[in-house]
Amino acid sequence: MPKGTVGKLKRPVYGLNDAPRRWWNRIDASLRKYGMVPTRADRCTHVLYESLPKPRSRAKGEANTALSFQASGRTTWKQPEGKLRDWTEEVLKFQQQLVDQDSLLEYLLDPISGSPSRNMQTLGTVCLHVDDLFFTGDKKFMTQVIERLRKDYEVGSEDKNDIVFTGQVVKKQQSGCIVVNQDKAIKDLVEVVVPRGAQDNQVCDPAMHTEYRSVLGGMNWLQSRTQFTACYRFSRAASASAGPTIGDVKALNKAVRMMQVKPVSLIFWPLKGNLRLIGYPDASYRNNTDKSSQRGQCIFLAEPRQGNQSHTYGSIIDYESSKIKRTTMSTTVAELYAFMKCYGTSQFLRGLWCDISGQTAEIHMRTDANNLVTTASTTHLPEPVSYTHLTLPTKA
């Protein structure tokens, strides 16, 4: 092109800021066109639903309790005994207001309300990470979504039951369980070189500080996906990332060696039944070197209890260890923060699981904080014995 010529791009070029967004709009529109619905909690997870068969109609003469609206504007409540009870329009209007308020609060606070999986069954799901797609489903899903996806897009490579997805090796075993590991990424971790004779309280120079943050970033990718045993060590190293010392570098190198010597693989079992979420929160009061408190949690997706069965199968699906940044005055308060965070995360996962599977999972919480349980069971609101009305004199 001649010097000084200005060109206008017809398509976003790889590497420009708008390229990821334009690509996202395109692939998302395609998945929606195939009939898939994105989940509310994770916009990169799409689900293909199919309506459940309608339930059978009630037999003639079977007891049926229903609220029926009549043309006269009045409402009758039909009881099995055949007795009728009338309400006036004012009472009905008041009840409708209460129903609207309760429904609104339930919609805002309960992750099950408003789920697109209501009265639906799941045929397949697609997890999207830029241009990498991870999918599973039945034959109808493969025909309706995957075959059309192959026709509309050029597929670079496709693997089954032994794949690499976002740096994670995912393998399906003959037993039916799915094993996920990051062994290759663990081997790529390199320790920060510490100069001889350096004191632990010595602050890192800019070059070592940059290397520290680089290793910390690689460790973050690992501990947030599969290496849950390194959560606490990573959290402490991340807290010192603003101005690490030689002692912090040695602690980070120790965590790297631990991950290399004992790498962890996550196992996801083929669970059956209406699954439940089990949360394990925990906290420590001022246990860190900077006298701050730490909280952690593990959440499992597990099979329901069956009679006197001593154990059930379950798979860990979420874990975290983080410094408590709020004011913490006691162990009870630290345990309470951990419990609240674990329960809130479980509610988030409950809504996501409902959108994916159509199941309404129960949340079971486990805690070893006896002081927290005792406080929750004994604390009650004070009941006023009497009221005193005071009238203060005023000046004109």
Side-chain angles (χ1 to χ4, degrees), residues 106 130 154 157 173 178 196 219-220 250 277 293 301 303 310 335 340 355 358 364:
E106 184 179 4
V130 192
E154 180 180 353
S157 62
Q173 307 293 339
I178 298 176
R196 289 186 178 182
M219 187 176 176
N220 181 27
K250 291 181 179 180
L277 292 168
S293 301
L301 188 65
E303 291 181 348
S310 60
E335 293 282 2
M340 291 168 57
D355 288 358
H364 295 175

Side-chain angles (χ1 to χ4, degrees), residues 188-202:
D188 294 338
L189 276 181
V190 180
E191 298 182 25
V192 181
V193 179
V194 179
R196 289 186 178 182
Q199 301 297 324
D200 289 350
N201 58 356
Q202 180 181 340

